[in-house]
Amino acid sequence: MTLAAEELPVSLRIDAGARRVRLDPTDPAFVQDPYRAYAAIRAVCPFFFWEDYDHWCVTSHAEVGTLFRDRRFGRDLRHVATRTELGWPELPAHVARFYAFEDHSMLEREPPTHTRLRGLVNRAFVSRSVERLAPRIGALSHRLIDAIPTSGAFDLLPTFAEPIPVTVIAEMLGVPVADAPRLLDWSHKMVAMYQFGRTRAVEDDAVAATEAFVGYMRSVVARRRGQPGDDILSLLLAAEQDGDRLSEDELITNAILLLNAGHEATVHAIGNSVAFLLGGARPRQPWFATPERTAATVEELLRIAPPLHMFTRYALQPLEVDGVAFRTGDKIGLLIGAANHDPAVYEAPERFDPDRPSVPHVAFGAGIHFCIGAPLARLELQVALPILFERLPHLRLAETPRFADRYHFHGLEALRLQV
């Protein structure tokens, strides 16, 4: 791919010899189209040091997949070294409560703690359990479409993309769906902690949201202890594995993780998918002509327009990757968005082609931290998207969609459409 200089982010500077890159993740050109920058970087140094983040990153599909599975890297270092031993400063007091909460998350732990936590939670997300939700997702999709205005423009995110995943995950967990607006607000503020260039105000909001969310979930869990139901919270309260149970802190943290992860990414997977399909001269069939075609279309949409673009890991021991020496505690960024557009495995990667030879994308990660909600996210897309385009066959963009400045997430600010 040949890229004109004016098409690239103005902040992009590549030192191929040193394998170092300057690229402001808030650069408007990068926010709206990160794939051009990924391609330019990959062409000269696919394994590079991103100076703005102060850590190494990898762009190739093969290497991202390998490093996701490399057990020499992990999300948690406490079993190999203390912050003092790593030369890290202590966490600032004003964010300590946020990270104390995260300490109980299976996403942030390594075996054996991760194995125990994931084993207890996983049974609710296996494909055969999730598939039973298809009728509920379908009914919800139809109800939301019934409320869409037939004249004028509307925003698909709050009217369709947000209610589906937040309703489904709330019902699965046993949390009142009527509380969804509060859950969404808390979730957005907590997830902002992972964005580039966060401010003190963002941190304070995240801590306050965390404490409010934890307090809320404690009350929900207390009710469930006395009145168990057919939901994940009740299952986790009763679950035992090798004589072990989740502590209340583990239960609450991982329930919040499921609520946050169960809708944040899927909202933008739906939004990105619809924006992509409406953004070019693409015939509407046979995107969803058959279940098989629908599944292939969804996988290609997840590849070409993933909502998460970076997943970071720490070296758990001294090691070498691509000639770069890593010390214990050094961070590496696995660039999911770049890997999913790697021309070494996807011919003409910017072309939408559900019929391309099957090469698994990495939108859900890989290895022991592979997204536990992947079966649910796939099902929500496979059910909701065909219904949307069948019910609204003349759906079109009312204005050019714009992506929000919150890298390493890649999701829209709004998606204004007309029917």
Side-chain angles (χ1 to χ4, degrees):
M1 176 185 294
T2 301
L3 298 171
E6 62 270 17
E7 295 176 323
L8 293 171
V10 296
S11 66
L12 179 62
R13 300 289 184 272
I14 304 174
D15 183 340
R19 297 201 286 180
R20 298 181 76 87
V21 169
R22 291 298 305 273
L23 173 59
D24 180 358
T26 68
D27 186 314
F30 182 72
V31 170
Q32 298 309 315
D33 182 5
Y35 303 107
R36 295 182 184 278
Y38 293 151
I41 295 166
R42 186 193 300 108
V44 292
C45 52
F47 191 93
F48 69 96
F49 189 85
W50 195 337
E51 294 185 357
D52 304 73
Y53 273 104
D54 196 33
H55 62 67
W56 289 88
C57 291
V58 60
T59 62
S60 79
H61 181 278
E63 200 145 36
V64 166
T66 296
L67 290 172
F68 263 124
R69 297 175 174 87
D70 192 333
R71 298 293 293 276
R72 298 174 301 170
F73 287 91
R75 294 284 292 178
D76 181 25
L77 287 161
R78 76 194 70 192
H79 59 302
V80 298
T82 65
R83 296 184 72 89
T84 300
E85 290 169 338
L86 294 167
W88 293 1
E90 290 303 312
L91 289 170
H94 70 280
V95 294
R97 294 191 299 279
F98 177 86
Y99 289 107
F101 157 83
E102 280 216 322
D103 279 349
H104 302 291
S105 169
M106 61 184 167
L107 182 62
E108 304 301 330
R109 302 305 298 269
E110 292 298 305
T113 302
H114 171 272
T115 307
R116 178 177 64 86
L117 294 174
R118 186 166 178 126
L120 288 165
V121 175
N122 192 56
R123 66 191 69 184
F125 287 90
V126 294
S127 296
R128 62 181 177 275
S129 298
V130 167
E131 287 166 3
R132 295 198 294 265
L133 297 171
R136 173 63 179 132
I137 297 168
L140 179 58
S141 299
H142 281 291
R143 179 170 66 79
L144 293 168
I145 292 170
D146 287 342
I148 287 176
T150 56
S151 62
F154 68 97
D155 185 352
L156 189 78
L157 297 188
T159 58
F160 189 78
E162 286 180 359
I164 291 174
V166 75
T167 299
V168 170
I169 195 64
E171 290 178 347
M172 288 179 71
L173 277 161
V175 174
V177 175
D179 291 337
R182 281 197 292 171
L183 308 184
L184 283 167
D185 181 59
W186 291 332
S187 177
H188 294 330
K189 289 174 179 174
M190 293 172 70
V191 170
M193 284 288 280
Y194 306 106
Q195 295 169 204
F196 179 80
R198 73 191 194 203
T199 64
R200 174 62 187 262
V202 166
E203 293 173 342
D204 290 344
D205 283 348
V207 171
T210 301
E211 293 180 331
F213 213 154
V214 168
Y216 169 86
M217 287 304 300
R218 286 199 194 281
S219 66
V220 173
V221 168
R223 291 197 299 270
R224 276 289 171 268
R225 289 190 190 280
Q227 296 178 309
D230 183 21
D231 54 65
I232 294 175
L233 283 180
S234 299
L235 181 152
L236 294 178
L237 282 166
E240 286 192 79
Q241 181 170 302
D242 298 326
D244 197 7
R245 290 179 183 268
L246 290 170
S247 69
E248 181 164 296
D249 284 342
E250 289 173 334
L251 174 62
I252 288 170
T253 295
N254 286 286
I256 291 175
L257 169 67
L258 294 175
L259 279 163
N260 289 353
H263 75 271
E264 283 282 353
T266 309
V267 168
H268 294 299
I270 294 172
N272 292 359
S273 295
V274 174
F276 183 86
L277 292 175
L278 296 179
R282 301 181 180 92
R284 303 210 172 184
Q285 293 295 335
W287 292 343
F288 308 114
T290 65
E292 295 75 19
R293 184 68 173 178
T294 296
T297 296
V298 166
E299 292 309 299
E300 178 68 347
L301 288 168
L302 288 166
R303 179 196 71 81
I304 207 165
L308 177 66
H309 275 221
M310 184 196 293
F311 190 81
T312 55
R313 294 164 67 80
Y314 296 99
L316 301 180
Q317 64 189 65
L319 56 94
E320 184 176 302
V321 179
D322 272 10
V324 175
F326 282 79
R327 301 164 300 175
T328 301
D330 283 349
K331 186 184 287 189
I332 190 168
L334 310 185
L335 298 185
I336 292 168
N340 277 357
H341 285 242
D342 186 349
V345 293
Y346 302 111
E347 182 181 356
E350 308 308 318
R351 186 182 71 231
F352 176 69
D353 181 10
D355 294 321
R356 67 172 64 250
S358 179
V359 177
H361 58 75
V362 291
F364 294 118
I368 66 169
H369 289 293
F370 180 80
C371 177
I372 199 169
L376 177 59
R378 285 185 161 113
L379 182 69
E380 288 170 335
L381 289 163
Q382 290 170 9
V383 173
L385 292 180
I387 291 173
L388 179 69
F389 282 97
E390 179 182 355
R391 290 283 310 276
L392 303 175
H394 303 297
L395 195 63
R396 64 192 185 278
L397 296 175
E399 58 187 51
T400 301
R402 291 192 60 78
F403 287 92
D405 176 11
R406 48 174 170 253
Y407 195 83
H408 48 263
F409 301 102
H410 191 59
L412 296 165
E413 294 177 345
L415 181 52
R416 303 283 295 172
L417 304 178
Q418 288 181 304
V419 298

